[in-house]
Amino acid sequence: MATESSKEFKKVSEELIHSEDWFSFAKAEFEGPIGERINRYIFHHPGAVGVVPIEDGNIVLVRQYRPALEMEMLEIPAGKLDIEGEAPEKAAHRELIEEAGLDASQLEELCSFYNSAGFSDEKTVIYLATEMTRVSKIAASVEEQYMTTERIPLEDVYKMIDSGHITDAKTIVGIYSAMRRIGR
């Protein structure tokens, strides 16, 4: 629900600073409720998907090297909506195969959220996968070639979040949404 003052903000202009394969970076000017002008930098992102695969009382996570952090992260299978016209659910199927070697006959949308609304329009849609078959992984990047999968018992996932073993935001949101959906 918008507040009275937020209804009066409007974008005045936007200037592209840089554009690359799947993202762009821009400087935008906005006008505030009483005419004040503000400039903000915006990272435009096509969006992403994440999948919480639950199989035999375990959540299947992937361990992947993240260059921006210079470390490996334990995460749900996920990826960008970087194929033009691809629906989020289809992208979720693709990412689950590429990263975890699993294919789901059906995905259930759990939630969606904006990752970093202070500077980016990136939106992530999270799905639950419960009926899966094993398939061959199809690594689409260098990081995915070295990615490993780990099966975490459902009773251990909250402890792993609380202890800092799982720190990725989409993974935490996905786990909490999935556990709530399955009544855990």
Side-chain angles (χ1 to χ4, degrees), residues 45-116:
H45 189 287
V49 295
V51 183
V52 183
I54 297 180
E55 174 181 66
D56 301 326
N58 297 292
I59 292 181
V60 180
L61 298 178
V62 295
R63 187 170 295 280
Q64 176 176 209
Y65 181 74
R66 291 301 193 179
L69 302 175
E70 298 181 44
M71 60 186 261
E72 289 186 336
M73 299 284 288
L74 195 55
E75 307 175 23
I76 59 175
K80 295 181 296 297
L81 294 172
D82 56 354
I83 297 176
E84 191 171 330
E86 183 179 44
E89 187 172 335
K90 185 171 181 180
H93 275 284
R94 175 177 51 80
E95 292 294 341
L96 188 59
I97 292 168
E98 286 177 10
E99 296 188 0
L102 296 169
D103 191 13
S105 59
Q106 184 175 349
L107 295 174
E108 178 183 354
E109 186 175 327
L110 291 171
C111 64
S112 62
F113 60 92
Y114 290 97
N115 297 50
S116 298

Side-chain angles (χ1 to χ4, degrees), residues 142-153:
V142 173
E143 293 95 331
E144 286 180 359
Q145 291 175 25
Y146 299 98
M147 185 180 287
T148 59
T149 57
E150 297 182 23
R151 284 165 170 67
I152 310 299

Side-chain angles (χ1 to χ4, degrees), residues 33-53:
I34 58 172
E36 59 271 59
R37 295 291 176 122
I38 56 173
N39 291 308
R40 295 293 181 259
Y41 292 96
I42 301 171
F43 183 85
H44 291 295
H45 189 287
V49 295
V51 183
V52 183

